[in-house]
Amino acid sequence: MRSLVKQGRILELGCGGSKTIEDSIGIDLINKGETIYTLVDVPSVADVVADVTKPLPVENEFFDTIIARHILEHCVDIVSCLKNWSSKLKEDGKLIITVPDESIVMSIPLNPEHVHAFTGSSLKGIAELVGLKQIDFKDNYNGVSFTSVFQRNGVHHASSG
């Protein structure tokens, strides 16, 4: 997945106990250093404590890359999340989403915290409905997941930050 990340400002949503890109800004519900209850003895690496299903606490900041690795399947209102997340992209910024692939594994029984399941085509369709264009797709990421890369269609924010 690292090869998909653009240089520049990187925001990682739901970073948990590890970041994809070490110097990214990580957002998670658990304070940095506190143990994540669903992961035995794994401390959070979050830089910012926030709920990524709400407006992101990075006002007036825009990012070259936003990573949402195994977080979207936990979000009840995926449309609002995708709109919110993509609104924080710089012009030509990338939103990289990795989720379990429902065509490989029944992902909701896999984890009781999952509230949505996706195939490559279902995520692409939902993303298109909120103004995102798929620019890359990697299947069989870890034997059970896929990664989609999106950019916003239409009007973009000016590069800032």
Side-chain angles (χ1 to χ4, degrees):
M1 178 189 301
R2 287 179 182 87
S3 65
L4 300 172
V5 177
K6 292 179 65 163
Q7 295 294 321
R9 290 184 50 80
I10 302 164
L11 183 66
E12 186 153 356
L13 307 174
C15 62
S18 67
K19 295 179 187 177
T20 304
I21 305 297
E22 188 176 325
D23 62 348
S24 66
I25 298 169
I27 297 180
D28 204 283
L29 290 171
I30 309 297
N31 286 314
K32 187 173 199 161
E34 289 184 14
T35 300
I36 301 168
Y37 75 93
T38 56
L39 303 172
V40 177
D41 296 327
V42 175
S44 171
V45 297
D47 301 298
V48 177
V49 176
D51 182 346
V52 300
T53 67
K54 310 281 188 238
L56 298 175
V58 286
E59 293 180 33
N60 302 315
E61 291 188 63
F62 300 95
F63 297 87
D64 297 290
T65 303
I66 297 175
I67 300 169
R69 181 174 40 101
H70 290 285
I71 193 71
L72 190 61
E73 64 271 21
H74 297 266
C75 302
V76 173
D77 187 349
I78 56 176
V79 170
S80 291
C81 286
L82 290 173
K83 286 181 178 180
N84 180 31
W85 299 349
S86 66
S87 75
K88 293 298 181 179
L89 288 172
K90 289 182 179 180
E91 185 172 342
D92 298 324
K94 294 180 179 180
L95 174 58
I96 302 173
I97 299 172
T98 298
V99 292
D101 188 340
E102 189 69 11
S103 66
I104 296 173
V105 62
M106 293 178 55
S107 61
I108 292 177
L110 182 70
N111 181 333
E113 294 180 351
H114 290 180
V115 293
H116 288 285
F118 302 97
T119 62
S121 62
S122 72
L123 180 57
K124 180 182 178 194
I126 294 164
E128 287 174 349
L129 289 173
V130 300
L132 293 169
K133 176 183 176 185
Q134 185 173 305
I135 59 168
D136 204 350
F137 178 83
K138 306 287 184 202
D139 63 350
N140 201 17
Y141 163 67
N142 58 0
V144 296
S145 304
F146 66 85
T147 299
S148 291
V149 183
F150 300 98
Q151 286 183 322
R152 291 184 18 220
N153 280 326
V155 178
H156 294 279
H157 288 287
S159 294
S160 63

